[in-house]
Amino acid sequence: MLTMLAKFLKILGSDASPLQIAFGFALALFIGLTPFFSLHNLVILFIAFVTRVNLGAFFLASAIFTLIAYLIDPWSISLGEYLLTLPDLQTVWTSLYQSDFWRAFKFNHTLLMGSLAISVIAFIPVLILSYVFVVFYRHKFMAWVEKLKITKWLKASKFYKVYEEMGA
């Protein structure tokens, strides 16, 4: 737990641009909220590796969103069932399922469809909120924390040594 917190603080204080970190968090939605062994996750991993995304933020946020996924799975299943049974979309789902390419993505599963819909809906808000959080942390909070006396005490502790080792 201490190591994960140190990694998170290291990512926030790194030289990576806030947008790279925020995009890593936002892309991690898809990996974390949807079932892991899905073909679309390979596409998301490819995007993460090809673009200038902070991979540390991506993998850390994936772990966090995976924990959140267990809490929201019932709502994801309900949303997926709703989307898959909408009469207006039946022809779309039928045509996708009749194609071998789209059938491989397994969009006909309620959990996958619902969690993918939640990921798509939450992508832009998570991108914006994480960007604002990183900028706020770097400009306001990090400077304020450096001035505290407790910071000097923490720098002498094991936590800071773990934090520093992450940078070496």
Side-chain angles (χ1 to χ4, degrees):
M1 182 71 174
L2 195 60
T3 306
M4 186 180 259
L5 180 61
K7 286 180 183 180
F8 181 67
L9 293 175
K10 177 142 183 72
I11 290 168
L12 290 177
S14 70
D15 289 337
S17 79
L19 191 56
Q20 290 174 335
I21 295 170
F23 194 55
F25 280 129
L27 272 180
L29 270 169
F30 294 96
I31 299 290
L33 294 184
T34 61
F36 183 73
F37 294 109
S38 302
L39 190 56
H40 76 279
N41 281 340
L42 288 176
V43 175
I44 298 298
L45 283 171
F46 179 75
I47 291 170
F49 288 135
V50 170
T51 59
R52 294 186 53 94
V53 171
N54 185 293
L55 292 176
F58 175 74
F59 289 119
L60 182 66
S62 295
I64 292 168
F65 287 129
T66 299
L67 295 175
I68 293 171
Y70 288 111
L71 300 173
I72 67 169
D73 274 353
W75 293 295
S76 297
I77 292 169
S78 296
L79 178 61
E81 185 176 353
Y82 171 75
L83 290 172
L84 289 171
T85 57
L86 268 174
D88 294 338
L89 294 176
Q90 288 300 311
T91 56
V92 173
W93 304 136
T94 303
S95 64
L96 287 178
Y97 192 73
Q98 290 175 352
S99 167
D100 289 335
F101 176 76
W102 291 109
R103 192 178 316 140
F105 283 94
K106 298 183 181 183
F107 288 125
N108 60 320
H109 293 276
T110 55
L111 177 61
L112 180 66
M113 180 57 75
S115 56
L116 191 61
I118 290 171
S119 299
V120 168
I121 291 167
F123 181 79
I124 297 296
V126 167
L127 179 68
I128 292 169
L129 288 173
S130 56
Y131 177 81
V132 169
F133 176 74
V134 171
V135 170
F136 172 78
Y137 175 82
R138 286 183 180 177
H139 294 305
K140 304 283 185 195
F141 192 72
M142 199 161 92
W144 178 74
V145 168
E146 290 294 325
K147 294 178 185 177
L148 295 175
K149 290 183 181 181
I150 195 166
T151 305
K152 294 178 177 95
W153 177 76
L154 283 175
K155 285 186 177 182
S157 71
K158 180 183 177 188
F159 171 76
Y160 192 74
K161 289 181 177 78
V162 170
Y163 179 76
E164 283 296 311
E165 287 174 7
M166 302 293 291

